[in-house]
Amino acid sequence: MFIAKVAAIAAAVSLSLAPSAATALPIDSTTVSQLQGSEQENGAVVFTSEASQLTVLPAEERAVPAADLALLAPSIGCSLGVPWVHPSGHVAGNINGTAKIQCTGNAAKLTLNYSLIRTSPNYKQWGAPAGLATNKAYVQTNRAVSCTEGPANFRGWAQGVIAPPPGYKLVTGATSSKYGDIKPIACGSASFAALSEESGEATTEIQFVREDLVNQ
């Protein structure tokens, strides 16, 4: 029942706004900023950055006994990461983009969508298979295209949904770290072929706090 409810709430949140070809974005900038979420009528909170959109759903409405609550970790942190697009180090002749959600404890549900985007020349998007994890702390997805789609400028765009476990509440805004999310990619270029997936990862980070500690 709860999983069906989560899916219904997630579907009600607008998660289809990938950046358009006209979006003007800085290249090679490094910023860390605070994001204020937009609260929806269904109780979800949406955080939007230049590289992603993260929706946080309300926790399942069921009481957790005080004795059980006391055994839980005081907080759970989660991050939605969108690394630089890069020449694939696993499959020769491919350009690859990835996204991941990683938490310090199991979430009730994690959902992740990703688009690999060629910003110029000839704007185009390629969608990745949806990532879904229940009662897990990690989910990842990726999308690869042939090197013949370049040389060009590429970026990634991720849409994530997190449902926290019972007993936890989102009590703060999000922190967004951005490290130049548009990159020129040409397979065979030594400088970019050596670029790891983690280099330049743009992240959105949130924290859930155990409900009995929220007002302390």
Side-chain angles (χ1 to χ4, degrees), residues 170-186:
L170 178 70
V171 294
T172 63
T175 300
S176 176
S177 301
K178 178 174 171 294
Y179 299 91
D181 56 358
I182 297 179
K183 285 295 171 185
I185 301 294

Side-chain angles (χ1 to χ4, degrees), residues 109-201:
K109 187 176 182 181
L110 302 173
T111 305
L112 182 60
N113 291 282
Y114 176 80
S115 291
L116 174 63
I117 303 171
R118 182 175 63 203
T119 60
S120 65
N122 303 319
Y123 181 90
K124 187 173 181 179
Q125 292 189 47
W126 295 269
L132 177 63
T134 302
N135 295 321
K136 301 289 184 182
Y138 184 84
V139 67
Q140 178 176 325
T141 189
N142 77 288
R143 184 64 162 92
V145 296
S146 169
C147 283
T148 58
E149 300 294 346
N153 292 319
F154 289 87
R155 69 167 299 177
W157 170 259
Q159 300 162 319
V161 180
I162 300 176
Y168 286 91
K169 292 184 177 181
L170 178 70
V171 294
T172 63
T175 300
S176 176
S177 301
K178 178 174 171 294
Y179 299 91
D181 56 358
I182 297 179
K183 285 295 171 185
I185 301 294
C187 292
S189 171
S191 59
F192 288 103
L195 188 66
S196 71
E197 294 185 13
E198 289 72 29
S199 297
E201 182 174 68

Side-chain angles (χ1 to χ4, degrees), residues 15-65:
L15 290 174
S16 59
L17 301 178
S20 68
T23 302
L25 294 169
I27 297 178
D28 291 328
S29 62
T30 301
T31 62
V32 177
S33 60
Q34 297 295 317
L35 297 178
Q36 295 301 315
S38 173
E39 188 168 353
Q40 310 298 300
E41 292 184 359
N42 55 27
V45 180
V46 179
F47 298 97
T48 302
S49 71
E50 292 183 347
S52 66
Q53 185 179 76
L54 177 61
T55 298
V56 179
L57 303 180
E60 179 185 0
E61 295 180 1
R62 71 174 171 85
V64 179

